[in-house]
Amino acid sequence: MSLTACNDYLDVDAPSKHDIEKIYGSTKETGTALNGVYRGLLEGNTFGQAFTYSLILNSDVDFNSNSSSTRQTNTPKRYDVDASSSTANSVWNTTYNAIESANNFIYNLGKSPIYTKSSDDWRTLAQYMGEAKAIRAMLYNELLCYWGDVPFPTEPTSVTGNYYPVITPRDTIAKRLILDLEDAAKDMQSSDETTIERISQEACYGIIARIALQAAGYSLRHAEDDASSYGYMGKPAAETETWFLTKAREYAGKVIQSNKHDLVKSYQDVFLAECNFELLRGDDPIFEIPFAQESSGSIGYRQGPKFASNGGVTNYEWGETGGNQQVSVLHRFSYKPGDTRKDATIGWWEYTYDGTPKIIGASNLSMYNNKWSKLWNKTKAFNNTTASNTGINYPYLRYADVLLMWAEADVKLTNNVSDEAKECVQKVRNRAYIGSGKAAPAVAGASPEAFLKEILDERKWEFAGENSRWKDLVRNNKLSEVLYYTFMRNHAVALNMGGVSEGAEEDLVQAYDGVDYFSSNGTYTQEEIDAAIPGDDAYNKAVGQPKSPLLTQTIYYCYIDNPKDNKFFANSELPTIYVYNPEAYVAQPKAEIGSPEKFFKFLKNNFPNAVESTYKPIPEPNNASSTKNPWEYRTLEWYDSDASCPKDGVLYSLYGFIHAGESGETAKNTIYVVRDGVEERVDLASVNVADLPVVRYLLPIPREAITRSSGAYRNYYGY
């Protein structure tokens, strides 16, 4: 089953007949061979990094800013690649090599004399077969999401001799994968017979549901023989769509009915367990991709706060972290009060190499995604030179996902909001409020359309950083709309922070989000005034007085000793930053209050309900005394006053779909959407969602693969 190191995908060495008979004539050796199939999930160009970082595309949730004002060839996050993309080429080759490994295993085990129901080891071997088929389906599903119609080999090339199998329609591939997994799942072991690091019967059911739900939805498609157009968003034929939705609901339902998983642990505790190599049996994780420490996986290196190194070394045990898988700064305003997913996800600070926390830069368009981090690990597993290859598992499938998939499939099938579907969403939401002291808002489900929006909103809070949001938007044909509003939201905020009013843009964004960012946001009530602390905009105000705009905001923070309570600071050793007005309306406190730690103590003494009484404020670490006043840090400095326009990260982070002109004040204040490769000038405030161009989110077939196929493969979508 060895693979060659050459670049040709599907170019493999055929194992000898003797080796095949030896491997697949023994249950033990077959199990060892299966580990090689799992290895395909661990590669840097599959789930080791590509599908968990490099190919998480920008949206209103996951966001990495990019300031380049010109077209690039290898930036998938901003929808800007071409057929020379090295990322597309590497992912394509590695994924197909992993599929080839699975095909070898499936074919040879299927031919083995011990693979029979009369065998004493039948249950073990059937489980192995199911795992291999599920891994193959996982890999193909990623290809369907990123490329659409792709080659679909299901037998080893050493058997077929076909190194360039034909392109197969995505609907056909998805259906065949589902039928294959349905058959395999019948003989697989349940979750309580195996571990979440292996694919159980329930995990296989969940994978079927995921493939089916995505296949039932919209995707970017092309007209036959039209290679120049970016394509159109289309669904399968109605009968096929219904078939997929029925399978999605059926198999998500099988997971739920098995009663093998639940949502018991708090939201944050699920990810803390992964960072500490704990396997939560019977809880939210259904299948975690099992990375190996110091060998594979970048989870907790790409996510979490940045921890800078000095020559590759830090002063603490965890080593360097990159912290570059981030979420939009404005995403935090979408959470409801009491939703613990906000504090578990949104990270305000990073660390210097000596362990000193540092607040994020005011120009940042994104914040740290703290769901995972090496810094949360308490097992002494790392050292001060460790970088990536954390070995922290990635939860490919969670029970929360299954519940929300069932609800989505149900409402789409029936065009009705059932009590069962509402209960699924409510269960996910209830878990998000564990420990907050607030009750979770009841699911409304006023209409099928409103309920579907509730489901998609729940998913954006639940799965930030898990490569879900853009896929959710694609299958619901919302990607163009959401990206347009993401650009307009950032643009309007930048102008507003720069003292430039674009009232029409602001009104549209506020109406779309249901968040009053820019206007007075109503008037103060007595309850708000009574709860205010010095610095809150409501402090010493009168009932009925207008509120200040939400985004004219200064952040209060101070340094504190590590509280070791995991409430907001999962790390239990380093000093931390306490932000005590992350979303409050604020006015400048009086200068005589003094240093941040003095202000914190003042609040503890005079407003004991305003801050955590057990937290100990300290001067800025490694300095004799604090040099920052608590009102000096401002967020959202996204306007370039010298150029009289928003900063480049605002203007170019979604370049392949919408961007400003290249240079100069006039150009940068002119906005274009990209329709079939042509820039089309737009007035942001005159949005017609129905007329927006498609987002070319699909990747091109790599040029190398097209060349090697002697023209058998062809790129569409304007590539």
Side-chain angles (χ1 to χ4, degrees):
M1 300 209 317
S2 62
L3 304 179
T4 66
C6 71
N7 289 327
D8 288 4
Y9 91 99
L10 297 187
D11 191 359
V12 299
D13 289 331
S16 71
K17 181 178 179 181
H18 173 75
D19 289 340
I20 291 173
E21 291 176 350
K22 179 180 178 182
I23 293 170
Y24 296 98
S26 160
T27 301
K28 181 179 178 181
E29 294 291 340
T30 301
T32 301
L34 180 62
N35 291 336
V37 181
Y38 270 93
R39 179 70 195 177
L41 301 179
L42 313 184
E43 299 286 350
N45 286 313
T46 59
F47 291 94
Q49 178 169 306
F51 300 143
T52 57
Y53 166 65
S54 307
L55 293 180
I56 297 184
L57 309 182
N58 279 353
S59 67
D60 56 336
V61 178
D62 308 300
F63 200 85
N64 284 76
S65 64
N66 186 303
S67 298
S68 174
S69 62
T70 57
R71 182 180 177 184
Q72 298 178 326
T73 61
N74 195 37
T75 51
K77 287 178 180 290
R78 71 171 196 164
Y79 308 93
D80 193 15
V81 296
D82 66 20
S84 68
S85 167
S86 59
T87 297
N89 189 57
S90 298
V91 173
W92 175 276
N93 287 337
T94 304
T95 303
Y96 272 109
N97 272 329
I99 289 169
E100 178 71 9
S101 178
N103 284 342
N104 268 302
F105 182 94
I106 293 163
Y107 178 84
N108 289 309
L109 178 57
K111 297 289 185 182
S112 169
I114 66 171
Y115 185 68
T116 172
K117 289 189 177 182
S118 62
S119 168
D120 292 340
D121 291 335
W122 164 250
R123 287 209 71 219
T124 299
L125 294 168
Q127 171 67 19
Y128 290 167
M129 179 67 83
E131 290 177 72
K133 287 187 173 183
I135 290 170
R136 179 174 67 181
M138 289 167 58
L139 294 163
Y140 267 125
N141 192 49
E142 296 301 318
L143 290 174
L144 296 181
C145 288
Y146 287 104
W147 274 278
D149 306 334
V150 293
F152 184 51
T154 56
E155 290 186 332
T157 53
S158 59
V159 173
T160 66
N162 183 2
Y163 290 89
Y164 298 99
V166 298
I167 302 288
T168 303
R170 68 200 71 179
D171 301 340
T172 301
I173 295 173
K175 189 168 187 177
R176 287 183 60 184
L177 292 174
I178 290 167
L179 293 173
D180 194 38
L181 292 184
E182 280 187 307
D183 182 63
K186 296 173 185 175
D187 297 310
M188 293 183 72
Q189 296 172 2
S190 67
S191 304
D192 50 14
E193 296 177 278
T194 184
T195 166
I196 60 173
E197 291 188 314
R198 303 295 290 260
I199 299 172
S200 65
Q201 185 180 65
E202 288 74 34
C204 190
Y205 290 160
I207 292 168
I208 292 172
R210 177 176 290 180
I211 293 170
L213 187 63
Q214 200 72 29
Y218 287 88
S219 61
L220 187 60
R221 298 169 184 257
H222 65 82
E224 191 172 356
D225 296 327
D226 183 359
S228 61
S229 165
Y230 278 15
Y232 64 95
M233 294 299 289
K235 290 196 294 184
E239 183 179 349
T240 303
E241 177 192 5
T242 299
W243 188 88
F244 282 132
L245 287 174
T246 302
K247 293 297 182 184
R249 185 175 65 173
E250 176 186 354
Y251 281 91
K254 284 179 178 290
V255 180
I256 296 168
Q257 293 154 16
S258 74
N259 293 316
K260 303 294 185 184
H261 291 272
D262 205 346
L263 302 179
V264 179
K265 292 276 190 180
S266 73
Y267 185 77
Q268 186 182 43
D269 282 346
V270 169
F271 301 101
L272 287 177
E274 287 162 353
C275 291
N276 285 279
F277 309 118
E278 299 173 22
L279 302 182
L280 299 181
R281 180 182 291 274
D283 207 281
D284 191 14
I286 299 177
F287 172 55
E288 293 182 356
I289 294 177
F291 292 112
Q293 214 174 303
E294 300 293 338
S295 173
S296 59
S298 62
I299 301 299
Y301 173 83
R302 297 291 178 189
Q303 298 85 1
K306 179 180 179 181
F307 196 177
S309 68
N310 184 9
V313 179
T314 68
N315 285 9
Y316 286 84
E317 65 188 65
W318 300 278
E320 178 187 74
T321 63
N324 42 15
Q325 179 53 54
Q326 301 177 352
V327 295
S328 165
V329 164
L330 300 178
H331 174 56
R332 75 184 194 272
F333 292 110
S334 70
Y335 292 90
K336 308 303 181 188
D339 190 333
T340 64
R341 292 173 294 196
K342 180 176 72 172
D343 287 325
T345 303
I346 304 300
W348 283 91
W349 68 87
E350 60 189 53
Y351 287 97
T352 60
Y353 75 95
D354 61 359
T356 301
K358 184 174 72 171
I359 201 81
I360 62 168
S363 295
N364 283 33
L365 275 77
S366 51
M367 305 177 78
Y368 294 114
N369 180 353
N370 281 358
K371 289 168 77 166
W372 299 281
S373 176
K374 283 194 302 179
L375 308 186
W376 304 166
N377 182 275
K378 300 179 182 179
T379 69
K380 306 294 182 181
F382 305 109
N383 60 63
N384 64 354
T385 61
T386 303
S388 192
N389 293 332
T390 64
I392 295 172
N393 284 355
Y394 178 71
Y396 175 83
L397 183 67
R398 299 202 277 115
Y399 189 56
D401 191 8
V402 170
L403 291 167
L404 295 176
M405 286 194 291
W406 193 95
E408 184 176 338
D410 184 66
V411 71
K412 287 179 175 178
L413 265 176
T414 65
N415 196 34
N416 178 60
V417 182
S418 68
D419 289 341
E420 294 87 346
K422 291 170 69 173
E423 287 171 10
C424 285
V425 179
Q426 192 69 56
K427 190 174 183 67
V428 175
R429 187 175 296 176
N430 287 346
R431 194 268 299 269
Y433 284 74
I434 292 176
S436 73
K438 292 181 180 291
V443 173
S447 67
E449 295 76 20
F451 182 53
L452 183 57
K453 183 181 186 304
E454 272 193 273
I455 294 170
L456 294 179
D457 282 346
E458 207 66 41
R459 292 187 66 88
K460 79 178 179 183
W461 299 319
E462 183 71 24
F463 301 112
E466 297 184 54
N467 206 354
S468 171
R469 180 59 171 169
W470 70 271
K471 294 175 181 176
D472 297 343
L473 297 173
V474 163
R475 73 170 176 273
N476 288 283
N477 199 19
K478 294 287 186 181
L479 187 59
S480 292
E481 173 186 326
V482 168
L483 290 190
Y484 190 89
Y485 273 97
T486 298
F487 184 93
M488 180 160 49
R489 183 183 305 112
N490 292 346
H491 192 266
V493 168
L495 292 176
N496 186 279
M497 293 296 98
V500 180
S501 177
E502 286 291 341
E505 286 182 31
E506 294 170 2
D507 291 345
L508 281 170
V509 167
Q510 292 188 158
Y512 188 77
D513 291 355
V515 176
D516 202 342
Y517 300 105
F518 308 104
S519 61
S520 68
N521 203 24
T523 58
Y524 289 110
T525 64
Q526 188 64 55
E527 183 182 17
E528 290 171 321
I529 294 167
D530 291 343
I533 62 174
D536 285 354
D537 197 50
Y539 188 65
N540 282 339
K541 289 292 196 306
V543 173
Q545 220 172 321
K547 295 178 180 179
S548 295
L550 178 60
L551 294 184
T552 56
Q553 184 179 46
T554 304
I555 294 299
Y556 288 126
Y557 70 95
C558 72
Y559 299 94
I560 62 172
D561 273 342
N562 197 298
K564 302 183 180 181
D565 65 1
N566 284 355
K567 185 174 182 182
F568 306 113
F569 319 107
N571 178 274
S572 60
E573 183 173 344
L574 300 174
T576 58
I577 287 177
Y578 183 78
V579 178
Y580 35 98
N581 69 314
E583 265 77 55
Y585 305 95
V586 295
Q588 181 170 309
K590 296 178 181 178
E592 60 264 25
I593 289 174
S595 66
E597 60 270 17
K598 288 181 179 178
F599 182 63
F600 191 90
K601 291 176 181 177
F602 168 79
L603 293 177
K604 284 177 66 175
N605 292 332
N606 295 279
F607 301 88
N609 294 326
V611 298
E612 301 287 341
S613 61
T614 58
Y615 292 177
K616 180 183 177 182
I618 58 174
E620 183 175 350
N622 300 327
N623 285 284
S625 62
S626 291
T627 57
K628 295 181 177 67
N629 287 323
W631 52 87
E632 285 187 340
Y633 177 73
R634 291 185 62 81
T635 63
L636 307 169
E637 293 186 354
W638 297 353
Y639 189 76
D640 185 342
S641 56
D642 292 334
S644 300
C645 63
K647 291 184 177 178
D648 287 354
V650 173
L651 301 178
Y652 305 117
S653 292
L654 299 170
Y655 188 91
F657 173 65
I658 183 170
H659 60 258
E662 185 172 334
S663 62
E665 178 182 343
T666 301
K668 287 189 172 185
N669 282 298
T670 304
I671 310 302
Y672 302 91
V673 292
V674 181
R675 191 185 301 272
D676 293 337
V678 178
E679 292 180 337
E680 187 176 287
R681 185 171 177 174
V682 293
D683 174 6
L684 283 177
S686 300
V687 59
N688 178 358
V689 171
D691 192 44
L692 287 173
V694 297
V695 181
R696 186 173 61 168
Y697 69 87
L698 287 178
L699 299 178
I701 297 174
R703 190 168 293 158
E704 289 182 16
I706 292 174
T707 301
R708 293 195 303 267
S709 75
S710 301
Y713 299 160
R714 180 185 182 189
N715 262 323
Y716 292 85
Y717 312 109
Y719 288 122

